[in-house]
Amino acid sequence: MKNYSIIAAMAIAAGALAACADTDIDVYQVEKPQSVADYEYLDNYAELKSYIDRGAHPNFLFGSGVLASDYNKKGLVYLLTNNNFDIITAGNAMKYASVVADDGTMNFNTVTEFVDNAVNAGLQVYGHTFCWHEQQNPKWLNKLIKDRELEVDPDASNEVEDARQTYAGMSKFPFHVMGYEPQIIDGILTVPEYPGAWYQFFVMDGLQFVEGREYIVTARIRGSKAGSVNVQLGNWGKIQEAKLEFTEEWSEVSVKMAPIEVANGFSVFQPGTYDGKLEIEWVKVSHNEAQALEVETEVNHKTYTDGPFPFYAMGCEPPVIDGCIHFVPTGAWSQFFILPGGENTLGEGNYVLYLDITSSKDAASGIQLTMQNGWGEGSQQLNANVPLSQGQNTVRIKFNEVAGGSYDVILKPQTSDATLDVRSVTICKLESLNSIPLTPEEKAEILEAEMARWIQGMMAATQGRVKAWDVVNEAISGGPWGQRYDLQHAVNDPDAAKKFYWQDYLGDNFVRIPVKYARQYFEENGGNPADLKLFINDYNLESDWDDNQKLKSLIQWIEQWESDGVTKIDGIGTQMHISYYMNPATQKSKAEHIEKMFRLMAETGKLVRITELDMGLVDENGQDIPTENVTLEQHKLMSDYYKEIIRKYFEIIPVEQQFGITMWCQTDSPEGSGWRPNQPTGIWDLNFNRKPAYAGIAEGLAGKE
């Protein structure tokens, strides 16, 4: 499969080169390799969409899934897609998690570019998807419905200290220098004299915040004359600012900051043009809480057994001596595990970590502790400073808004010259009695408003140009057997912490709500209401093991959703991530139930769309056959199966219900892919050479037997 047409543009280029050949050069006959000859017949096929009889199937749209980033490059994928398809579906770009950030802000730039490029090329775009439990942003959504903190009465509240920074025991400024570096003199952060220009400096770093909480910054400070500093709290994503005034006498002065909008950060003091001497003994961050209890529940306690370093070594392997991990500084930057994630699974919430540690000297800064959940995309890293005094210390560190997962705990002496002995780590779940859960009604109201905001944003970005949508995706579970299947719910999903099940809060209205807002905002943003088509999309609707029970259940659910007399579902989308089975009995059953699926869908009177059609290959023993092992004969069996599926769609689905078929994978899935890795799912191979599947699809679209 090495030497046949890719797309027409390349064939034209090859022809142009041939036209420039020297006619005096002798022509040599070279026998074609059989591997080339076997696939040469594919050169005779035209673009796929050209095979559709538009008179017989006037509303049918032939589609493709495509990554928006690939299409927007306007390269080979763009040309191939435009030449062969009528309508395209973005793989991920139009899903909630691709648009909505952790702070709730929405970015539709990729969506707008994708729709612009498709429409300008004469293609339609299919929207995928408004409501789903996968690829959401659970951090933002769970924040919307978290427990409500009780209002604090300043006259009947407790001040809770979150962090304190002292400079005792330091000889050098411990933070990043932003143009001006204060001195540390006798444990006091000191600006001996005005540096002659506007200046600023860090006073704290590695802070953890509860977003939405009001914090107080307090400093023990004095100047050579009265003045003020501008206090910044937060991080470079969002900073809160306020003025802190001081006098010539040592005093503790405070300023309340506006509610923090980030989860971690620092504090910076900006004396600006204050032209006197400035001294700071310590700085702390705190907040007020109503007088109530916080309950700590121990969830993990780790001690050590004498011997070599017990965990994976990250360049540093301190031994365990007398029951303590014994770290002796070497002068190099150092870090080491004190609790591996495999032994430390935490749920979502706030935690307190107690570190029983002995230090050979005061080390008020420079030592850090990290809790790390995962090491790739989607990981969470929480950092905190570990202030130590000479001798034994029990350091209490609070970590707010832990997302949940398996957390490595890593101590980072960095370049500190203190000898450390870590005796134990204890982690406690922190439950505050200063908050009350929202009622189910309050949560439903908040989430309906968020669904409306999300759909309004998407409809504004697409301006009525995207006329068909998966309004809800994968709503139906796989049981209970023998009756109508339930909706999917988080309680049945061991990986639910990474997802968000709207139906757990909105009930079966979770379908009615996006349908309502899709119709409202489509029209408000220039769309013709008669053009909008909303689909319920799901997988395994062709299942033979339950005789299409999932589809039968979905049809019953649609009847229930529409029973209010307002909600209207225009169509049913079927994800057909199927395989060709080399076991004849299995293959026969699979094909029969695809036909049954089409008949059941046709009987609903609704539009019918194959939303995601791709195909793998399974041997007689039920094992997937990797792409490199597929024979020409097997490729042709898959090709014939594609042709039969398309033929049956045209035969069974009435013309007025034929919305279309979308091929989900343009090319085979590469090894290591997150979707059907190393399987022959494509119409083209990974080099964009046509496969026998191309012929089967073309002949199916043409209605050939």
Side-chain angles (χ1 to χ4, degrees):
M1 300 172 63
K2 299 295 183 185
N3 191 27
Y4 45 89
S5 297
I6 298 177
I7 57 175
M10 294 189 174
I12 293 169
L17 290 173
C20 297
D22 187 339
T23 56
D24 293 333
I25 296 176
D26 292 335
V27 177
Y28 292 90
Q29 297 294 323
V30 179
E31 185 177 353
K32 295 177 182 177
Q34 189 62 44
S35 61
V36 173
D38 285 342
Y39 292 91
E40 197 171 41
Y41 75 101
L42 296 170
D43 291 346
N44 298 322
Y45 286 88
E47 290 84 0
L48 289 172
K49 65 183 178 182
S50 70
Y51 288 95
I52 303 167
D53 183 342
R54 302 293 182 178
H57 310 290
N59 301 314
F60 180 86
L61 296 170
F62 186 57
S64 173
V66 64
L67 289 177
S69 56
D70 287 344
Y71 186 79
N72 287 343
K73 291 175 184 176
K74 294 189 176 181
L76 177 58
V77 170
Y78 174 83
L79 294 172
L80 178 144
T81 302
N82 294 345
N83 286 344
N84 287 278
F85 302 101
D86 302 312
I87 188 169
I88 53 177
T89 306
N92 294 305
M94 299 177 79
K95 295 171 183 172
Y96 187 92
S98 298
V99 172
V100 183
D102 288 350
D103 63 357
T105 57
M106 297 189 289
N107 185 336
F108 292 98
N109 291 342
T110 300
V111 173
T112 302
E113 183 183 4
F114 180 68
V115 175
D116 285 346
N117 289 336
V119 171
N120 291 339
L123 271 61
Q124 296 186 42
V125 173
Y126 186 89
H128 178 64
T129 174
F130 278 135
C131 185
W132 193 21
H133 58 273
E134 297 268 10
Q135 291 183 256
Q136 304 301 288
N137 187 324
K139 180 176 182 180
W140 167 246
L141 291 169
N142 285 317
K143 178 182 175 181
L144 288 176
I145 56 173
K146 70 178 183 180
D147 293 353
R148 180 174 59 245
E149 291 196 15
L150 298 174
E151 292 187 11
V152 177
D153 180 356
D155 297 326
S157 63
N158 296 323
E159 182 184 357
V160 178
E161 183 173 308
D162 296 276
R164 178 183 289 263
Q165 178 67 63
T166 62
Y167 308 98
M170 297 184 191
S171 59
K172 183 175 174 57
F173 182 68
F175 306 121
H176 172 72
V177 176
M178 298 186 293
Y180 176 76
E181 183 175 357
Q183 299 178 28
I184 306 294
I185 301 174
D186 296 331
I188 304 296
L189 189 150
T190 304
V191 178
E193 59 185 10
Y194 176 51
W198 188 96
Y199 70 106
Q200 63 181 345
F201 48 84
F202 281 87
V203 293
M204 305 182 79
D205 199 2
L207 300 175
Q208 300 292 316
F209 304 118
V210 173
E211 294 177 46
R213 175 174 285 171
E214 293 182 347
Y215 286 92
I216 302 164
V217 176
T218 303
R220 179 167 168 77
I221 185 173
R222 71 176 177 181
S224 58
K225 61 179 181 178
S228 67
V229 298
N230 184 54
V231 177
Q232 293 187 326
L233 190 68
N235 61 37
W236 299 129
K238 182 67 176 180
I239 290 281
Q240 303 296 4
E241 301 183 81
K243 290 290 184 185
L244 182 75
E245 297 184 350
F246 55 86
T247 67
E248 300 149 273
E249 303 295 328
W250 279 111
S251 58
E252 296 179 15
V253 291
S254 300
V255 63
K256 179 179 285 189
M257 312 300 292
I260 291 293
E261 299 180 26
V262 294
N264 52 67
F266 49 76
S267 182
V268 169
F269 278 14
Q270 296 177 326
T273 56
Y274 174 76
D275 58 356
K277 179 181 180 180
L278 191 62
E279 296 176 284
I280 303 171
E281 183 177 344
W282 51 258
V283 181
K284 73 174 181 179
V285 173
S286 61
H287 68 276
N288 287 326
E289 289 187 358
Q291 292 182 353
L293 294 175
E294 279 191 328
V295 179
E296 296 181 6
T297 303
E298 182 178 307
V299 296
N300 207 339
H301 179 69
K302 181 66 178 177
T303 57
Y304 312 100
T305 303
D306 288 4
F309 183 65
F311 310 124
Y312 173 78
M314 297 184 289
C316 181
E317 301 182 60
V320 179
I321 301 174
D322 295 333
C324 299
I325 296 178
H326 182 67
F327 170 77
V328 178
T330 63
W333 192 95
S334 301
Q335 64 177 355
F336 53 90
F337 284 96
I338 56 177
L339 179 58
E343 301 180 26
N344 188 39
T345 300
L346 305 177
E348 183 181 342
N350 298 332
Y351 288 84
V352 173
L353 183 148
Y354 290 95
L355 182 64
D356 187 351
I357 184 171
T358 300
S359 178
S360 64
K361 60 192 306 182
D362 290 346
S365 67
I367 298 175
Q368 191 176 72
L369 186 138
T370 294
M371 287 216 309
Q372 176 94 26
N373 174 24
W375 296 87
E377 184 178 353
S379 62
Q380 183 185 34
Q381 184 181 87
L382 303 170
N383 299 306
N385 290 325
V386 182
L388 298 176
S389 302
Q390 182 178 356
Q392 192 276 335
N393 297 258
T394 300
V395 182
R396 183 182 188 270
I397 302 172
K398 187 176 180 181
F399 290 102
N400 296 316
E401 297 189 345
V402 172
S406 297
Y407 283 82
D408 296 308
V409 181
I410 304 165
L411 189 65
K412 298 178 178 179
Q414 304 186 97
T415 56
S416 170
D417 60 353
T419 297
L420 307 175
D421 286 285
V422 182
R423 185 169 301 279
S424 68
V425 179
T426 303
I427 299 178
C428 299
K429 180 76 178 287
L430 190 61
E431 300 289 351
S432 173
L433 302 184
N434 291 357
S435 60
I436 57 173
L438 301 180
T439 66
E441 293 76 16
E442 288 172 324
K443 291 180 180 180
E445 181 180 355
I446 290 169
L447 291 174
E448 179 172 347
E450 175 63 9
M451 180 65 71
R453 185 182 77 96
W454 152 241
I455 294 176
Q456 182 181 29
M458 182 63 80
M459 288 302 192
T462 54
Q463 289 293 300
R465 296 176 296 170
V466 180
K467 301 173 183 178
W469 296 82
D470 286 334
V471 67
V472 173
N473 195 46
E474 299 180 5
I476 310 301
S477 70
W481 290 81
Q483 53 187 295
R484 184 184 77 171
Y485 289 173
D486 291 337
L487 300 178
Q488 294 209 59
H489 294 289
V491 69
N492 300 315
D493 186 350
D495 207 27
K498 299 178 180 179
K499 306 172 188 178
F500 190 85
Y501 285 81
W502 295 83
Q503 54 267 49
D504 286 352
Y505 304 97
L506 302 177
D508 63 16
N509 278 337
F510 93 104
V511 170
R512 296 186 178 116
I513 287 168
V515 168
K516 177 179 72 172
Y517 290 116
R519 298 197 186 282
Q520 175 183 334
Y521 292 122
F522 180 76
E523 183 175 6
E524 288 184 9
N525 286 280
N528 179 357
D531 292 340
L532 181 63
K533 306 301 177 189
L534 301 179
F535 288 75
I536 303 292
N537 184 46
D538 220 319
Y539 62 94
N540 283 347
L541 303 185
E542 77 283 357
S543 52
D544 61 340
W545 57 85
D546 63 355
D547 194 27
N548 303 101
Q549 181 59 32
K550 188 173 186 181
L551 173 57
K552 295 170 186 175
S553 299
L554 175 57
I555 292 169
Q556 293 177 46
W557 274 106
I558 291 174
E559 291 172 352
Q560 177 172 321
W561 293 323
E562 292 185 328
S563 66
D564 62 1
V566 177
T567 303
K568 179 188 176 185
I569 308 298
D570 298 293
I572 299 174
T574 173
Q575 298 178 31
M576 294 181 62
H577 304 298
I578 61 173
S579 293
Y580 185 91
Y581 289 80
M582 297 306 296
N583 181 305
T586 302
Q587 178 58 27
K588 181 175 183 292
S589 176
K590 300 294 183 183
E592 287 175 348
H593 282 81
I594 289 175
E595 186 173 340
K596 284 187 177 182
M597 175 188 70
F598 287 150
R599 296 194 186 282
L600 286 166
M601 295 172 80
E603 290 170 2
T604 66
K606 296 191 177 296
L607 296 172
V608 175
R609 179 175 188 265
I610 300 177
T611 57
E612 303 176 19
L613 178 57
D614 57 32
M615 188 185 300
L617 184 65
V618 177
D619 67 18
E620 293 86 346
N621 300 313
Q623 300 299 312
D624 291 330
I625 299 176
T627 303
E628 63 269 19
N629 293 341
V630 181
T631 67
L632 175 60
E633 178 185 4
Q634 290 169 334
H635 273 300
K636 289 187 174 180
L637 289 172
M638 296 172 68
S639 175
D640 289 342
Y641 195 26
Y642 274 126
K643 178 170 70 173
E644 180 66 9
I645 290 168
I646 297 170
R647 191 179 70 82
K648 284 293 183 183
Y649 176 93
F650 284 142
E651 174 189 310
I652 296 171
I653 306 300
V655 171
E656 63 274 15
Q657 293 175 246
Q658 294 175 4
F659 187 89
I661 296 174
T662 285
M663 310 304 299
W664 197 237
C665 299
Q666 292 185 352
T667 67
D668 292 334
S669 186
E671 190 172 358
S673 169
W675 179 251
R676 304 188 79 166
N678 202 21
Q679 292 195 39
T681 53
I683 309 169
W684 293 266
D685 68 14
L686 287 170
N687 294 315
F688 289 94
N689 295 312
R690 291 175 180 176
K691 296 171 51 184
Y694 190 102
I697 293 166
E699 292 178 6
L701 293 172
K704 291 186 178 180
E705 293 292 335

